[in-house]
Amino acid sequence: MKNIPLPDLYYLENPDLKQLFRIMRISIFLLFFCLFSLMAENSHSQNARVTINRSDAPLESILNEIESQTDYLFIYKEDVNVKMRKSIHVSSKPVAEVLSILLAESSVAYKMAGNHIILTRNAALAAQQQKLGIAGTVTDASGEVLIGVSVLIKGSGQGTVTDLDGNFSLAANMGDILQFSYTGYIPQEIKLKDNHSLSIVLKEDVKSLDEVVVVAYGTQTKRAVTGAMETLDFDKLSDVPVAQFTQKM
């Protein structure tokens, strides 16, 4: 017979200790099972690929399409602009790569946490993008450039005028309204939605042209002229028998 010390025999035959060891083994097994399941799930999510072909679509609808093709769920606050319009054309690309392309040069950042993708607003970049460098050209209906057209940011008092080529440039915020005005033409207002180059065509204002008076130093309206003024009828002047035009006047 083998000599077994009494304390060892006591512990092995103690039912409470056996139950404790059994619970510990089960708990360790369940812990490793959950850990491996989570790793497998994360690995599956990270390898998830999507195929999207959208042009000028709201960001929100593109995110919904990513959710429908994967197990990901997007989380974001109200200050995140998901109404911006985006275009993306990818085939079987990882979600992380798709998001990097989709959100490039935007004020929206993302962070992946398990099956959740958290979208946040980059306030500094959003403020920077709000300021737009606006440029454009102003012409009339026939395509002739208009020199000296007044371009004002409505309500701010800031603005500029078109140069010899009819071009202008200024800094403005997205959503600002630009006012274009020029003597003899109908004023026009444009609301800024992006920083694309503007092509403004002003239409002649026939009514205002009837009231324009040519003076030695420019043009004025009749109501603005304070001196003596006469209206010349060229049909009558043609019948005056003198050699020079100044004598006809």
Side-chain angles (χ1 to χ4, degrees), residues 55-94:
S55 297
D56 194 32
L59 175 61
E60 186 176 21
S61 67
I62 299 177
L63 299 181
N64 291 336
E65 188 166 343
I66 294 176
E67 286 182 340
S68 67
Q69 296 185 31
T70 66
D71 295 329
Y72 281 116
L73 178 65
F74 288 94
I75 302 175
Y76 51 86
K77 294 183 178 180
E78 293 182 355
D79 62 348
V80 176
N81 182 16
V82 294
K83 301 300 182 183
M84 71 174 72
R85 308 191 76 83
K86 288 286 186 177
S87 298
I88 186 166
H89 304 277
V90 294
S91 177
S92 188
K93 293 290 185 181

Side-chain angles (χ1 to χ4, degrees), residues 129-138 151-153 159-162 166-180 190-200:
Q129 290 182 339
Q130 283 289 317
K131 203 70 174 179
L132 304 175
I134 304 300
T137 305
V138 183
V151 185
L152 293 176
I153 301 175
T160 184
V161 295
T162 56
N167 298 323
F168 70 92
S169 63
L170 76 167
N173 294 320
M174 187 179 299
D176 281 347
I177 297 177
L178 295 187
Q179 296 177 314
F180 299 85
I190 298 293
K191 187 174 183 179
L192 298 178
K193 297 181 179 180
D194 50 45
N195 60 346
H196 292 169
S197 180
L198 300 176
S199 296
I200 308 300

Side-chain angles (χ1 to χ4, degrees), residues 237 240-249:
L237 287 176
V240 179
V242 292
Q244 296 182 0
F245 179 77
T246 55
Q247 291 176 331
K248 292 184 179 184
M249 295 180 64

